[in-house]
mmCIF file of all heavy atoms in Angstrom:
data_model
loop_
_atom_site.group_PDB
_atom_site.id
_atom_site.type_symbol
_atom_site.label_atom_id
_atom_site.label_comp_id
_atom_site.label_asym_id
_atom_site.label_seq_id
_atom_site.Cartn_x
_atom_site.Cartn_y
_atom_site.Cartn_z
ATOM 1 N N ASP A 37 -35.364 -13.544 6.433
ATOM 2 C CA ASP A 37 -35.687 -12.292 7.210
ATOM 3 C C ASP A 37 -36.070 -12.464 8.632
ATOM 4 O O ASP A 37 -36.768 -13.408 8.924
ATOM 5 C CB ASP A 37 -36.892 -11.582 6.518
ATOM 6 C CG ASP A 37 -36.524 -11.005 5.174
ATOM 7 O OD1 ASP A 37 -35.353 -11.040 4.853
ATOM 8 O OD2 ASP A 37 -37.458 -10.650 4.394
ATOM 9 N N TRP A 38 -35.621 -11.635 9.474
ATOM 10 C CA TRP A 38 -35.928 -11.592 10.891
ATOM 11 C C TRP A 38 -36.395 -10.123 11.235
ATOM 12 O O TRP A 38 -35.656 -9.261 11.071
ATOM 13 C CB TRP A 38 -34.780 -11.992 11.801
ATOM 14 C CG TRP A 38 -34.230 -13.384 11.452
ATOM 15 C CD1 TRP A 38 -33.286 -13.646 10.490
ATOM 16 C CD2 TRP A 38 -34.667 -14.573 12.003
ATOM 17 N NE1 TRP A 38 -33.062 -14.937 10.435
ATOM 18 C CE2 TRP A 38 -33.925 -15.584 11.348
ATOM 19 C CE3 TRP A 38 -35.622 -14.958 12.914
ATOM 20 C CZ2 TRP A 38 -34.065 -16.939 11.625
ATOM 21 C CZ3 TRP A 38 -35.769 -16.370 13.256
ATOM 22 C CH2 TRP A 38 -35.031 -17.221 12.604
ATOM 23 N N ASP A 39 -37.653 -10.080 11.641
ATOM 24 C CA ASP A 39 -38.206 -8.733 11.958
ATOM 25 C C ASP A 39 -37.934 -8.396 13.425
ATOM 26 O O ASP A 39 -38.407 -9.036 14.295
ATOM 27 C CB ASP A 39 -39.691 -8.734 11.590
ATOM 28 C CG ASP A 39 -40.348 -7.439 11.906
ATOM 29 O OD1 ASP A 39 -39.707 -6.507 12.290
ATOM 30 O OD2 ASP A 39 -41.635 -7.399 11.651
ATOM 31 N N PHE A 40 -37.160 -7.325 13.628
ATOM 32 C CA PHE A 40 -36.801 -6.916 14.932
ATOM 33 C C PHE A 40 -37.697 -5.769 15.509
ATOM 34 O O PHE A 40 -37.357 -5.127 16.516
ATOM 35 C CB PHE A 40 -35.341 -6.470 14.982
ATOM 36 C CG PHE A 40 -34.328 -7.498 15.244
ATOM 37 C CD1 PHE A 40 -34.042 -8.530 14.216
ATOM 38 C CD2 PHE A 40 -33.535 -7.620 16.376
ATOM 39 C CE1 PHE A 40 -33.216 -9.558 14.422
ATOM 40 C CE2 PHE A 40 -32.642 -8.614 16.556
ATOM 41 C CZ PHE A 40 -32.402 -9.564 15.618
ATOM 42 N N GLY A 41 -38.789 -5.523 14.820
ATOM 43 C CA GLY A 41 -39.610 -4.404 15.281
ATOM 44 C C GLY A 41 -39.152 -3.150 14.519
ATOM 45 O O GLY A 41 -39.743 -2.790 13.574
ATOM 46 N N GLY A 42 -38.101 -2.509 15.059
ATOM 47 C CA GLY A 42 -37.575 -1.253 14.497
ATOM 48 C C GLY A 42 -36.867 -1.436 13.170
ATOM 49 O O GLY A 42 -36.612 -0.498 12.462
ATOM 50 N N PHE A 43 -36.462 -2.687 12.850
ATOM 51 C CA PHE A 43 -35.624 -2.926 11.663
ATOM 52 C C PHE A 43 -35.771 -4.406 11.239
ATOM 53 O O PHE A 43 -36.288 -5.256 12.019
ATOM 54 C CB PHE A 43 -34.220 -2.563 11.883
ATOM 55 C CG PHE A 43 -33.433 -3.444 12.798
ATOM 56 C CD1 PHE A 43 -32.747 -4.468 12.397
ATOM 57 C CD2 PHE A 43 -33.452 -3.201 14.211
ATOM 58 C CE1 PHE A 43 -32.088 -5.340 13.236
ATOM 59 C CE2 PHE A 43 -32.842 -3.984 15.056
ATOM 60 C CZ PHE A 43 -32.077 -5.103 14.589
ATOM 61 N N THR A 44 -35.340 -4.637 10.064
ATOM 62 C CA THR A 44 -35.327 -6.020 9.608
ATOM 63 C C THR A 44 -33.938 -6.488 9.333
ATOM 64 O O THR A 44 -33.141 -5.813 8.676
ATOM 65 C CB THR A 44 -36.185 -6.232 8.240
ATOM 66 O OG1 THR A 44 -37.368 -5.627 8.395
ATOM 67 C CG2 THR A 44 -36.294 -7.680 7.850
ATOM 68 N N LEU A 45 -33.559 -7.677 9.891
ATOM 69 C CA LEU A 45 -32.260 -8.290 9.596
ATOM 70 C C LEU A 45 -32.508 -9.397 8.623
ATOM 71 O O LEU A 45 -33.300 -10.336 8.876
ATOM 72 C CB LEU A 45 -31.736 -8.891 10.952
ATOM 73 C CG LEU A 45 -30.489 -9.824 10.808
ATOM 74 C CD1 LEU A 45 -29.315 -9.006 10.277
ATOM 75 C CD2 LEU A 45 -30.227 -10.397 12.139
ATOM 76 N N THR A 46 -31.712 -9.354 7.576
ATOM 77 C CA THR A 46 -31.778 -10.475 6.577
ATOM 78 C C THR A 46 -30.446 -11.204 6.536
ATOM 79 O O THR A 46 -29.413 -10.515 6.311
ATOM 80 C CB THR A 46 -32.052 -9.945 5.177
ATOM 81 O OG1 THR A 46 -33.271 -9.120 5.282
ATOM 82 C CG2 THR A 46 -32.294 -11.027 4.234
ATOM 83 N N VAL A 47 -30.445 -12.449 6.852
ATOM 84 C CA VAL A 47 -29.247 -13.190 6.667
ATOM 85 C C VAL A 47 -29.185 -13.624 5.179
ATOM 86 O O VAL A 47 -29.857 -14.475 4.869
ATOM 87 C CB VAL A 47 -29.192 -14.394 7.655
ATOM 88 C CG1 VAL A 47 -27.902 -15.285 7.480
ATOM 89 C CG2 VAL A 47 -29.369 -13.917 9.082
ATOM 90 N N GLU A 48 -28.262 -12.943 4.476
ATOM 91 C CA GLU A 48 -28.259 -13.140 2.944
ATOM 92 C C GLU A 48 -27.343 -14.290 2.581
ATOM 93 O O GLU A 48 -27.673 -14.957 1.520
ATOM 94 C CB GLU A 48 -27.752 -11.930 2.297
ATOM 95 C CG GLU A 48 -28.796 -10.782 2.362
ATOM 96 C CD GLU A 48 -28.516 -9.651 1.385
ATOM 97 O OE1 GLU A 48 -27.344 -9.287 1.290
ATOM 98 O OE2 GLU A 48 -29.457 -9.294 0.725
ATOM 99 N N ARG A 49 -26.358 -14.591 3.312
ATOM 100 C CA ARG A 49 -25.481 -15.673 2.933
ATOM 101 C C ARG A 49 -24.798 -16.119 4.097
ATOM 102 O O ARG A 49 -24.288 -15.314 4.912
ATOM 103 C CB ARG A 49 -24.503 -15.099 1.877
ATOM 104 C CG ARG A 49 -23.379 -16.088 1.497
ATOM 105 C CD ARG A 49 -22.466 -15.392 0.515
ATOM 106 N NE ARG A 49 -23.075 -15.510 -0.827
ATOM 107 C CZ ARG A 49 -22.434 -15.924 -1.891
ATOM 108 N NH1 ARG A 49 -21.204 -16.217 -1.895
ATOM 109 N NH2 ARG A 49 -22.989 -15.912 -3.054
ATOM 110 N N VAL A 50 -24.651 -17.444 4.331
ATOM 111 C CA VAL A 50 -23.994 -18.025 5.505
ATOM 112 C C VAL A 50 -22.765 -18.700 5.171
ATOM 113 O O VAL A 50 -22.755 -19.499 4.164
ATOM 114 C CB VAL A 50 -24.865 -19.020 6.207
ATOM 115 C CG1 VAL A 50 -24.255 -19.625 7.433
ATOM 116 C CG2 VAL A 50 -26.243 -18.347 6.646
ATOM 117 N N GLN A 51 -21.678 -18.386 5.789
ATOM 118 C CA GLN A 51 -20.390 -19.063 5.445
ATOM 119 C C GLN A 51 -20.438 -20.466 5.770
ATOM 120 O O GLN A 51 -21.156 -20.953 6.636
ATOM 121 C CB GLN A 51 -19.226 -18.358 6.265
ATOM 122 C CG GLN A 51 -19.399 -18.576 7.781
ATOM 123 C CD GLN A 51 -18.656 -17.493 8.588
ATOM 124 O OE1 GLN A 51 -19.331 -16.535 9.045
ATOM 125 N NE2 GLN A 51 -17.297 -17.577 8.694
ATOM 126 N N ALA A 52 -19.579 -21.344 5.011
ATOM 127 C CA ALA A 52 -19.752 -22.802 5.100
ATOM 128 C C ALA A 52 -18.931 -23.268 6.350
ATOM 129 O O ALA A 52 -19.316 -24.232 6.973
ATOM 130 C CB ALA A 52 -19.208 -23.415 3.885
ATOM 131 N N ASP A 53 -17.933 -22.624 6.747
ATOM 132 C CA ASP A 53 -17.126 -22.902 7.917
ATOM 133 C C ASP A 53 -16.529 -21.712 8.574
ATOM 134 O O ASP A 53 -16.580 -20.633 7.941
ATOM 135 C CB ASP A 53 -16.111 -23.980 7.570
ATOM 136 C CG ASP A 53 -15.094 -23.428 6.566
ATOM 137 O OD1 ASP A 53 -14.309 -22.576 7.010
ATOM 138 O OD2 ASP A 53 -15.113 -23.833 5.399
ATOM 139 N N PRO A 54 -15.989 -21.789 9.729
ATOM 140 C CA PRO A 54 -15.468 -20.637 10.499
ATOM 141 C C PRO A 54 -14.361 -19.857 9.719
ATOM 142 O O PRO A 54 -14.044 -18.698 9.966
ATOM 143 C CB PRO A 54 -14.974 -21.148 11.820
ATOM 144 C CG PRO A 54 -15.514 -22.482 11.917
ATOM 145 C CD PRO A 54 -15.759 -22.990 10.553
ATOM 146 N N PHE A 55 -13.715 -20.594 8.739
ATOM 147 C CA PHE A 55 -12.638 -19.966 8.083
ATOM 148 C C PHE A 55 -12.884 -19.304 6.753
ATOM 149 O O PHE A 55 -12.089 -18.682 6.105
ATOM 150 C CB PHE A 55 -11.395 -20.925 7.900
ATOM 151 C CG PHE A 55 -11.233 -21.703 9.274
ATOM 152 C CD1 PHE A 55 -11.781 -22.975 9.371
ATOM 153 C CD2 PHE A 55 -10.652 -21.082 10.381
ATOM 154 C CE1 PHE A 55 -11.610 -23.649 10.624
ATOM 155 C CE2 PHE A 55 -10.454 -21.817 11.539
ATOM 156 C CZ PHE A 55 -11.010 -23.134 11.657
ATOM 157 N N ALA A 56 -14.130 -19.611 6.230
ATOM 158 C CA ALA A 56 -14.515 -19.001 4.964
ATOM 159 C C ALA A 56 -14.781 -17.569 5.064
ATOM 160 O O ALA A 56 -14.849 -17.028 6.181
ATOM 161 C CB ALA A 56 -15.859 -19.788 4.520
ATOM 162 N N PRO A 57 -14.950 -16.822 3.947
ATOM 163 C CA PRO A 57 -15.315 -15.430 4.045
ATOM 164 C C PRO A 57 -16.525 -15.210 4.821
ATOM 165 O O PRO A 57 -17.376 -16.006 4.870
ATOM 166 C CB PRO A 57 -15.459 -15.030 2.548
ATOM 167 C CG PRO A 57 -14.767 -16.146 1.745
ATOM 168 C CD PRO A 57 -14.848 -17.371 2.566
#
Side-chain angles (χ1 to χ4, degrees):
D37 288 353
W38 302 89
D39 181 359
F40 274 65
F43 68 94
T44 307
L45 167 67
T46 307
V47 179
E48 290 196 313
R49 174 180 280 228
V50 178
Q51 65 205 100
D53 62 71
F55 316 103

